[in-house]
């Protein structure tokens, strides 16, 4: 009976951890594609496809690089992904989307091949101060969604944000 209760608690803790990770991934402005090691298994998409794709596009269309990247950019990214999947070569690259946005692409091995796509923090023609505020707001939104205590300090070490679980912990 005790072992069963411990197992149930462990399952509940794992589910809470998965919820936290899903909140982190869902709240970030990036898309991660994972190709499992098993041949014939379709890739999994995690995150927000809209962060890299033009509006109205289906998430799966991100796999067709030439539909959202120029020809040379699409060929370059396809080559990097092929080297990752076949030879295990990780990479970091920037590619320019058809709509002019700069996208950071990072490939690595993690139980298969993984590709993370996210808009570069600084976009051509962006106001740097507005971009910094937007990125800070995104970080705060993600931290606020966590079920575990989280906080943020400024460069001087002062506490500038604490989520509710952190505040609850401080009260105990």
């Amino acid at each position: 009976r005790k072992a069963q209760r411990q197992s149930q608690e462990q399952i509940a803790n794992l589910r809470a951890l998965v919820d936290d990770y899903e909140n982190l991934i869902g709240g970030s402005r990036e898309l991660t594609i994972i190709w499992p090691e098993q041949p014939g298994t379709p890739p999994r998409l995690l995150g927000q496809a809209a962060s890299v794709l033009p509006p109205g596009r289906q998430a799966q269309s991100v796999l067709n690089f030439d539909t959202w990247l120029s020809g040379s950019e699409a060929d370059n990214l396809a080559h990097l992904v092929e080297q990752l999947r076949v030879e295990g070569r990780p990479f970091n690259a920037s590619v320019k989307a058809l709509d002019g946005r700069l996208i950071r692409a990072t490939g690595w091995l993690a139980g298969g091949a993984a590709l993370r796509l996210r808009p570069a923090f600084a976009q051509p023609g962006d106001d740097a101060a507005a971009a910094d505020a937007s990125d800070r707001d995104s970080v705060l939104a993600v931290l606020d969604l966590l079920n575990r205590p989280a906080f943020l300090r400024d460069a001087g070490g002062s506490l500038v944000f604490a989520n509710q679980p952190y505040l609850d912990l401080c009260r105990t």
Side-chain angles (χ1 to χ4, degrees):
R1 189 140 208 168
K2 182 179 179 182
Q4 183 180 12
R5 190 186 66 212
Q6 287 176 332
S7 294
Q8 289 172 342
E9 287 176 9
Q10 187 176 22
I11 290 169
N13 288 337
L14 289 172
R15 285 184 178 150
L17 187 59
V18 167
D19 288 345
D20 285 347
Y21 286 132
E22 286 178 350
N23 285 334
L24 280 171
I25 292 170
S28 67
R29 296 183 313 151
E30 63 184 42
L31 177 67
T32 301
I33 305 163
I34 300 173
W35 288 272
E37 291 177 329
Q38 300 80 16
T41 305
R44 290 187 352 208
L45 304 177
L46 306 168
Q48 297 181 13
S51 64
V52 295
L53 291 175
R57 300 290 299 277
Q58 295 293 323
Q60 289 291 350
S61 69
V62 76
L63 298 170
N64 301 323
F65 300 141
D66 60 342
T67 64
W68 59 279
L69 297 172
S70 69
S72 62
E73 297 283 354
D75 291 344
N76 181 43
L77 185 56
H79 178 72
L80 290 170
V81 169
E82 181 180 358
Q83 286 184 319
L84 172 69
R85 295 183 67 198
V86 174
E87 301 172 19
R89 286 190 188 167
F91 66 88
N92 285 301
S94 293
V95 292
K96 192 170 185 178
L98 289 173
D99 63 5
R101 291 181 302 140
L102 190 60
I103 306 295
R104 292 289 302 149
T106 304
W108 73 98
L109 294 177
L115 170 64
R116 180 176 51 228
L117 300 167
R118 63 172 175 78
F121 286 118
Q123 292 291 329
D126 274 358
D127 175 15
D132 287 346
S134 172
D135 290 336
R136 184 178 185 277
D137 291 345
S138 296
V139 168
L140 294 179
V142 169
L143 292 176
D144 199 38
L145 290 172
L146 294 176
N147 296 327
R148 300 194 188 280
F151 61 91
L152 184 66
R153 294 186 184 276
D154 64 14
S158 297
L159 187 66
V160 293
F161 174 83
N163 68 355
Q164 193 59 50
Y166 183 89
L167 296 173
D168 293 344
L169 180 65
C170 290
R171 288 187 192 110
T172 59

